[in-house]
Structures are given as C-alpha cells and as structure tokens.
Amino acid sequence: MAGSQSPNYFLAIQVSDEKIKENVQEVQSFMKKKNMNLSYTMNNLDTLHITLGLYRPENDEISEAKKALEEFQGSLNTFSPLTFTVSTIESFQDQEDPDDHDVVYAAVTDNQILKDLVGALRKSFQKRDLFVTDKGFVSHVTICRITARSRERGITRIDPSYYREKASTDFGKQHAKSIQLCSMGKQKSGYYHVEKEIYF
C-alpha cells in the first residue's frame, strides 16, 4: 500500500468524555456567533476522536489491517492506563499560504505514552506492509475544518480572530478505552463505521 495516496481508513481513540464535548460545543457556538457560515465547518460532536494514523488499504488489505490491530491487542497493557489532557486551541495552516487556517483543533498535551503507542502501532502495521499516509503525528481533536461545503458558502479560511478569545480553553481529560480501525467512506450518521476495535 503506497503511503502517498489519500487515506480511506484511520486508527483512532474515540472521545467520549462529556466535559470535552461540552467545551468543544461551547467553542463552536462562540465561533458561529462571529460568523454563522462557520456552521458548515464544524465537526459533529459524535465524531470527536484522536487520529493515531491514516491509511489507505485496498479491498484485499482491509483484512490485513484488522489482523494487525487484533495482533496488537496483546501489547495494549504496556500503554495502560492511558489518560490524556485536551487543552488550548491551535490550527493547521495551508502549506501554500501560512495565513490560511484549514483546521482548528483542541490540542492534546504532550504525552509520551501516547507517542509510544502510536509508534508501536505503526510498526505493527508496517509488518503487514500497511504504511501511514500522514506526514507526522500531531495529537489533536478537530473542532472545525474547511470543507467543500464551507467553500460553497465563501468560507475558505478560518480566521484566528474567530477563536482567539477561547484559545486557552481547558477542554478536559479523556481516558482511552479502545483503539478503533475506522472507515472514512462508510459514515452515515453519528460516529464512523468501526471495522475493528480492541480494548485496553
């Protein structure tokens, strides 16, 4: 599987903590008061997660991805318990234009256990020739992002002034309950379609 292709699957830790969800919703509401068209950029609270790796398995490789995650079950105790803090607002910028902010997110405080988990997971998948398509791991919870729908409404960037007053928000703590292999293309409503899940 080539690492340069657009991803269609991802590994994730789902965000279930109610305080984090409430604080994300508060930030989203604050931003929409600044510009109602920002509603077309907002992530659904039910889909909040931390991405551990982006992948593009072909049809015959999906079973390999599920096996890789299943085999990793025996290693989870090494990283348990895993609790991480979500605090402050940051953004990913357009590489071609640093003034364009494409994704606004709640940052995850530096966590060595989480970094070690991601590294071990990726090595496990590489053994089955499954390689990440992302350029590097930045742990975060997406609040809003530029989409085709938002561009239709004239929103092509998310100005930092929309969230600057909330930048120091302490969102809360999440206790990791499981690691999921999720499909990007099978989401219909609510959370993403989970192909495989292993529990701490």
Side-chain angles (χ1 to χ4, degrees):
M1 178 185 65
S4 60
Q5 294 177 304
S6 298
N8 55 0
Y9 282 81
F10 61 97
L11 291 173
I13 293 175
Q14 186 173 1
V15 172
S16 58
D17 182 79
E18 288 303 320
K19 182 184 176 183
I20 294 177
K21 289 185 175 183
E22 288 171 5
N23 283 322
V24 168
Q25 185 175 41
E26 183 179 325
V27 170
Q28 290 178 336
S29 296
F30 178 84
M31 293 176 68
K32 285 187 286 188
K33 287 179 182 178
K34 299 272 188 176
N35 187 333
M36 277 306 299
N37 281 332
L38 286 174
S39 60
Y40 296 97
T41 71
M42 299 300 169
N43 265 31
N44 187 320
L45 294 178
D46 292 333
T47 67
L48 296 183
H49 65 277
I50 291 179
T51 300
L52 307 181
L54 300 173
Y55 293 86
R56 186 173 180 81
E58 302 302 333
N59 290 335
D60 59 343
E61 294 175 319
I62 295 173
S63 61
E64 289 298 304
K66 292 165 71 172
K67 289 177 183 176
L69 187 58
E70 185 175 354
E71 289 172 356
F72 195 76
Q73 175 75 71
S75 303
L76 273 188
N77 286 340
T78 307
F79 309 98
S80 181
L82 172 57
T83 300
F84 48 85
T85 300
V86 183
S87 180
T88 74
I89 299 175
E90 299 180 21
S91 67
F92 292 128
Q93 297 173 320
D94 188 304
Q95 294 180 350
E96 296 180 0
D97 188 348
D99 291 327
D100 280 358
H101 296 249
D102 288 344
V103 178
V104 174
Y105 63 87
V108 175
T109 303
D110 190 52
N111 187 310
Q112 191 58 51
I113 296 177
L114 181 59
K115 288 181 179 178
D116 292 344
L117 170 64
V118 170
L121 264 172
R122 295 186 177 201
K123 286 181 181 178
S124 179
F125 272 59
Q126 286 172 14
K127 290 178 182 178
R128 290 184 174 271
D129 292 325
L130 298 166
F131 298 92
V132 291
T133 64
D134 53 287
K135 296 180 180 179
F137 174 65
V138 178
S139 52
H140 68 281
V141 178
T142 300
I143 297 173
C144 56
R145 67 172 68 236
I146 294 299
T147 63
R149 200 172 171 209
S150 69
R151 289 190 179 93
E152 291 174 358
R153 296 281 174 165
I155 302 294
T156 58
R157 67 185 293 268
I158 302 172
D159 194 295
S161 65
Y162 293 145
Y163 58 85
R164 186 172 288 126
E165 294 171 61
K166 294 288 187 179
S168 61
T169 299
D170 179 9
F171 290 88
K173 295 180 183 293
Q174 174 68 49
H175 174 64
K177 299 176 181 178
S178 67
I179 297 174
Q180 303 165 332
L181 174 65
C182 300
S183 168
M184 293 182 179
K186 294 183 180 180
Q187 180 188 4
K188 294 182 179 179
S189 61
Y191 194 64
Y192 298 90
H193 174 77
V194 179
E195 289 281 354
K196 181 69 180 178
E197 186 168 17
I198 59 174
Y199 295 88
F200 283 90

